[in-house]
Amino acid sequence: ASAIGDPGAFRGTDPLQLGSTITNVDLVNPRDSSEPSREGAAAAKEDLKERQDQIRATGSLYNRAQAEKEIEGLGNLAKTLRAVAGRKQVIFLSEGFDPKMVQGRDARSMNEQQQENEAVMSGRSYTVDTDARFGTTSSLTILDRMTQAFRGSDVVLHAIDIQGVRVQNDVVEGARLSSNEGLFLVANGTGGQVFKNSNEMKTNFQRLLHQQEVVYVLGFQTPTQKPGSFHNLKVKLVNVPSGSRASYRAGYYESGGETSVERVLSNAEIIVNDIPQADVHLNAFAAAFPGKDGNAQVPVILEADGNDLIKDFRGSTMPVEIFIYAFDQDGVVRDRLYQKIGLDLKKVGDRLRAGGLKYYGTLSLPPGTYAIKSLVRAADSDRRGFGRADIVVAKLNELGVSTPVPVDETPHALLVKGNSHATTAVPPFQLNGEQFIPAAAARKHGGPQKIVVFVTGATADQLTWETNPKMKYLGLAKGAEGTALVLELDPKDSNVAAVDVTVHKKGSTEALKTSLAIVQ
């Protein structure tokens, strides 16, 4: 949304490009306002015609190089998108380029043909660009590679002509050709269409969306033989109405062998679409503690299975990447954490295998509802784990209830203290001034599970509550910024999927419910 709102000023600093930093960028086109002297003007007039021909020839080479660069860039985009599963739609907003740079001059370009004839007749045939007249093999080859990249990655390129309704003449030059054939060159081969002859962008987008209302998908499964290899596909329509056509990919790539750019897209897709990951078992926990400056500190606890992380790793220092994003209700990233750590397995390997990895980072968020999404990735083996926690950040002085916090009374995990964006240094996890280590999840097995619910915006004597299932009440304690309700889950009740705690404020209709999932 930021890139579309102001493309020139968009600056993405996020490694997965899910968040952005907007900076003001002034684009300046310097102009030479100086005027030549009379002597210089007289000398320039003598060889003006020859210089114009030379400039025209040089400009043609430059424009062709630019067109080839644009086509090649689109092909690279398609190759990158092969890492994203399913059919992708790319909408190309452009006036296009002169198609003669690729396929040669249009037969209707009478002015250019007349200029070329005059140049030949006057002995200036060296200024005639034969490539612009007949096209170039190199340009057509680049166009073919781009088309194959799009179809092989299951990407369709649609083009919207932003010039609007085109007029084939103007006041200065009279009859001239204004072509958007360049857009057809890049779109048709991918199975896409060009939307043209409308001065309303909204109309073109509506026509494009209308075409996507009914789509039939044919799927199949194939064995993996050689990761990264390409296989051709052919689709033939049988017994369909006249005029029907099939838009299909030219083939598919076997999974594996991702480039670094493709891996970025894969990681981003996991986070955006909540795609479960089975390689690394990950539990994620987050809780909000309102701060006095309006923003809450939101600690995020991640617990990753150590044996899953180091599986298939053969080195001594294992790199691990940690991505944490806070999405608001509109899907906008309000805060994020990224950290890459190196684990020396000679020193911490045994502890990692026995207790796993526990990461503790802190976000800073204004009041609102958030989805905290986390991804842990073993960089060398590309093994990944995904977790999500939903939280509500209350306004200052309003009733606020944290997610139930399981207490890790026998910590064994390798603890990594991550980055913090909190504006306050007060540790949130404390009872009567004594800090404790939280767990990322309540467990179904083991002894009694102590659980703490932090309440702000109400004094201890104003609180009433109920739990489901019934939990043992251990007492009230003083938290960092409010009251802490301390409960205990009986092991015989741990076979339920979650515990619910509802907190009421006396003398008010306010009541807040909070839940905690119970995992294996």
Side-chain angles (χ1 to χ4, degrees), residues 159-162 164-166 180 183-184 194-199 204 207:
I160 294 181
D161 185 358
I162 60 176
V165 177
R166 292 176 181 257
N180 52 19
L183 296 178
F184 285 90
V194 177
F195 297 86
K196 59 180 181 176
N197 294 333
S198 174
N199 292 328
N204 281 326
R207 292 165 60 197

Side-chain angles (χ1 to χ4, degrees), residues 370-381:
Y370 298 91
I372 312 297
K373 303 185 183 185
S374 304
L375 179 71
V376 174
R377 173 179 173 267
D380 280 10
S381 63

Side-chain angles (χ1 to χ4, degrees), residues 411-425:
H412 298 294
L414 174 66
L415 180 62
V416 175
K417 188 67 179 296
N419 297 327
S420 174
H421 294 167
T423 56
T424 175

Side-chain angles (χ1 to χ4, degrees), residues 2-12 21-27:
S2 299
I4 291 174
D6 194 350
F10 177 80
R11 294 294 181 272
T21 300
I22 302 300
T23 58
N24 292 323
V25 178
D26 294 324
L27 301 177

Side-chain angles (χ1 to χ4, degrees), residues 427-476:
F429 299 115
Q430 56 175 284
L431 299 174
N432 294 328
E434 293 187 10
Q435 295 185 45
F436 67 89
I437 297 177
R443 305 287 177 178
K444 289 190 176 183
H445 307 290
Q449 175 74 67
K450 184 184 290 185
I451 294 175
V452 181
V453 177
F454 292 93
V455 183
T456 57
T459 59
D461 59 351
Q462 292 178 308
L463 298 178
T464 61
W465 60 88
E466 63 255 10
T467 67
N468 183 30
K470 190 74 173 179
M471 288 193 288
K472 184 179 180 180
Y473 169 60
L474 299 182
L476 293 174

Side-chain angles (χ1 to χ4, degrees), residues 207-478:
R207 292 165 60 197
L208 172 61
L209 290 174
H210 179 66
Q211 288 193 351
Q212 309 302 316
E213 290 177 354
V214 179
V215 177
Y216 297 92
V217 179
L218 175 66
F220 58 92
Q221 290 184 328
T222 60
T224 299
Q225 298 174 340
K226 186 178 179 182
S229 61
F230 182 78
H231 299 274
N232 290 308
L233 286 175
K234 295 290 184 182
V235 177
K236 182 179 179 181
L237 296 178
V238 179
N239 297 328
V240 297
S242 175
S244 300
R245 69 185 183 97
S247 175
Y248 63 93
R249 60 193 304 175
Y252 67 94
Y253 292 91
E254 291 189 18
S255 60
E258 289 182 331
T259 66
S260 59
V261 177
E262 291 172 339
R263 194 173 298 114
V264 166
L265 281 175
S266 297
N267 292 335
E269 184 188 22
I270 291 169
I271 291 174
V272 170
N273 295 326
D274 292 6
I275 300 176
Q277 300 297 299
D279 288 341
V280 177
H281 290 84
L282 180 70
N283 292 315
F285 172 85
F289 296 85
K292 296 180 180 179
D293 63 346
N295 271 23
Q297 63 167 320
V298 180
V300 181
I301 310 295
L302 304 178
E303 290 178 347
D305 187 287
N307 292 295
D308 289 345
L309 279 174
I310 64 178
K311 185 178 181 180
D312 300 329
F313 182 74
R314 299 291 181 264
S316 58
T317 302
M318 184 178 69
V320 176
E321 288 184 300
I322 296 174
F323 305 86
I324 300 175
Y325 291 86
F327 292 87
D328 67 10
Q329 288 181 300
D330 296 323
V332 177
V333 175
R334 292 302 180 186
D335 198 10
R336 58 182 173 83
L337 292 172
Y338 170 75
Q339 200 157 349
K340 188 172 184 178
I341 57 179
L343 301 176
D344 188 343
L345 298 185
K346 293 181 179 178
K347 297 180 179 179
V348 302
D350 291 341
R351 189 172 180 183
L352 189 63
R353 293 183 185 92
L357 174 71
K358 178 177 288 189
Y359 177 87
Y360 181 173
T362 307
L363 302 169
S364 178
L365 296 171
T369 302
Y370 298 91
I372 312 297
K373 303 185 183 185
S374 304
L375 179 71
V376 174
R377 173 179 173 267
D380 280 10
S381 63
D382 206 28
R383 300 177 65 82
R384 292 176 282 207
F386 172 78
R388 169 174 173 155
D390 296 301
I391 64 167
V392 176
V393 177
K395 295 181 180 179
L396 189 63
N397 299 324
E398 288 188 358
L399 182 64
V401 179
S402 75
T403 305
V405 183
V407 179
D408 189 355
E409 298 188 272
T410 56
H412 298 294
L414 174 66
L415 180 62
V416 175
K417 188 67 179 296
N419 297 327
S420 174
H421 294 167
T423 56
T424 175
V426 178
F429 299 115
Q430 56 175 284
L431 299 174
N432 294 328
E434 293 187 10
Q435 295 185 45
F436 67 89
I437 297 177
R443 305 287 177 178
K444 289 190 176 183
H445 307 290
Q449 175 74 67
K450 184 184 290 185
I451 294 175
V452 181
V453 177
F454 292 93
V455 183
T456 57
T459 59
D461 59 351
Q462 292 178 308
L463 298 178
T464 61
W465 60 88
E466 63 255 10
T467 67
N468 183 30
K470 190 74 173 179
M471 288 193 288
K472 184 179 180 180
Y473 169 60
L474 299 182
L476 293 174
K478 180 176 175 53

